[in-house]
Amino acid sequence: MLNLIWARTLLAVSAEREILSAVLVDPNVMDTISSAITHEDFYYERHSLLFEVMAELHEHNKAIDPVTLPQALKDRGRWDKVGGLRAIGELLERH
């Protein structure tokens, strides 16, 4: 049973990364998913924080890219919590 729970958790985390990566590569994805997904839907706290900031940028018609996202995270005191440059790099590597 524990193996099944672990496998589901890994799948959830992987799916979350794919969503975040897709938004970072093509911010227009937010138009499609923002009404169906909120930051509270993310299991992994780092992913939740990233998506929350992405959603805020989208809501205010601001760019979501490798320059604006890190700055927005820093402005909100979340840069270190999400893993900093490494986390952004990992999202960009996925595509």
Side-chain angles (χ1 to χ4, degrees), residues 6-56:
W6 181 249
R8 285 185 180 167
T9 301
L10 289 176
L11 287 173
V13 171
S14 180
E16 290 176 6
R17 277 192 205 122
E18 290 299 324
I19 291 168
L20 296 169
S21 180
V23 172
L24 191 55
V25 170
D26 181 6
N28 293 322
V29 168
M30 285 298 284
D31 293 332
T32 304
I33 66 171
S34 62
S35 63
I37 300 174
T38 71
H39 73 279
E40 294 172 345
D41 294 319
F42 287 80
Y43 173 81
Y44 198 44
E45 182 183 13
R46 288 180 179 190
H47 294 165
S48 176
L49 294 172
L50 278 163
F51 190 81
E52 184 176 23
V53 172
M54 289 175 164
E56 288 174 12

Side-chain angles (χ1 to χ4, degrees), residues 58-75:
H58 177 73
E59 187 176 306
H60 291 90
N61 295 317
K62 297 196 178 195
I64 302 170
D65 60 42
V67 175
T68 59
L69 181 59
Q71 188 58 54
L73 290 162
K74 290 174 187 175
D75 292 346

